[in-house]
Structure formats: structure tokens, C-alpha cells
Amino acid sequence: MQTEHTILIIRMKVGSDDETEDGIQESPIAHNILKLFSELEHCDDDEQKVKIEKLNEIVDDMNEEEFRYVFMTGLFNKIDKMINEKKISLQNAIVLLKRMGHFRSLKFPWVYIFKGYSLSESFGKTIIEENKKKKGKNEKLLIDLCECYLLLNFSFPSKLTSIFVSNLLRIALNKEENEEIQEEVEVALLALTCMCQEV
């Protein structure tokens, strides 16, 4: 059975320059995102960072249909596979996913895109494992993973609730008047808002 991702690619290939054979207009934004994404696994770490920044800029211009086409059709499983095969670092994947989740939460909060994908399960397991560590805990990684998880989709197992609350509240309550810190506070608050919608 064809996924929407497959159908989108077919539409892009079989259509004329301006329109596909079924009359649906091609989406240059979706095309550029898929093209850049397909190039990621063939780049080194620095090149990936450059392409991810370009991807993030394009994501900000998507409409809801383009967003659904691109991100609800297997890209999360592809990212999970790339992480497992060490074709993309977890840190680079988080940069892309966090921006994507931030965009979803602000523009299309009714679109639930993360639950059920292997990447959602992987992130959930990593969050639990990192939170259990007594020594060598990577606090930034834990916060980033919590934010990614909630910004992409606020539906989550109840066992993650206390982890989300304790870690994100600590960031959200930071009173430092520093632009970078305040941006972190805003993202943490947005993630907590997503979580409250589920609760």
C-alpha cells in the first residue's frame, strides 16, 4: 500500500513542470525538504548542520498540507534508522526535530504526528535511561529529548510525566534575563503547555 510520502514523490515525478497529471499543484517547499533530507545521510557532521539549518528555514514556510505530506509519512522512521546506523548524530537529529516540533505546536497544534513511530519509542526509552543515571547524566540531552517529544506530539506514556515535569519546570522557572536563556524558557513552557493538553 502506498504511503502519502510515496504518492507525493510519484506526483512530483509524473507531473508537468507546473501541475501533476491528476491536477494537483506540485509543492516546491515539500520537494525541497524531501531533497535536502535525502542528502543528509551522505554528508559529514558539519555539512549536515548546514543542510539542517536550510531545512529548518524551509519548514517555517510550510502550510498544513505540506507539513502532513512531509512529516507524517515515514520520515520519523527514516531518522530513527539514520541515528541507529550512525548516519546522523542524535544532536543533529534533535536540532531538526525540535524546530519541526516548535513549528507544529505554534501553527498546527491539532496535528498529532509522532506517536506510533519507532523514533517516538526510541526517544521515550532514551529519556528514561538518561533520567535514571546517577553519574554522567547529560542534562542538555535530556531536556532536548523531552522538548522534542512533547513538541512533536503531546500524547505520551504516563511513566514519562514526572520526568517531563521535573526537567522542564526547572528550565521554565529560570529567571535569568539573558536572551538565550529566555528562548530556552519559552520552548520549555511551550512543551509543558503541550503536555497539559494531554493531561
Side-chain angles (χ1 to χ4, degrees), residues 99-137:
R99 181 73 163 270
M100 187 194 309
H102 190 266
F103 177 81
R104 181 208 73 85
S105 299
L106 292 177
K107 297 290 184 69
F108 314 122
W110 55 88
V111 177
Y112 314 137
I113 59 175
F114 201 42
K115 188 176 181 181
Y117 286 100
S118 60
L119 187 61
S120 174
E121 294 181 15
S122 297
F123 273 21
K125 288 177 182 176
T126 306
I127 288 168
I128 291 169
E129 289 169 3
E130 196 65 36
N131 189 65
K132 282 181 179 177
K133 290 181 180 178
K134 301 297 182 185
K135 292 183 179 179
K137 182 186 293 187

Side-chain angles (χ1 to χ4, degrees), residues 37 40-45 48-49 52 55 78-97 119:
F37 184 82
L40 283 179
E41 62 182 312
H42 307 295
C43 302
D44 62 27
D45 190 67
Q48 280 186 354
K49 288 176 182 175
I52 286 170
L55 273 165
K78 177 68 172 175
I79 292 172
D80 192 32
K81 184 178 180 184
M82 288 170 65
I83 292 171
N84 290 333
E85 294 178 352
K86 302 192 183 307
K87 292 181 178 178
I88 187 171
S89 68
L90 182 56
Q91 289 75 16
N92 281 351
I94 285 172
V95 171
L96 175 61
L97 293 165
L119 187 61

Side-chain angles (χ1 to χ4, degrees), residues 179-194:
E179 186 175 345
E180 185 177 341
I181 295 295
Q182 287 309 304
E183 285 178 6
E184 292 175 2
V185 168
E186 288 174 14
V187 174
L189 284 171
L190 181 59
L192 284 167
T193 300
C194 292

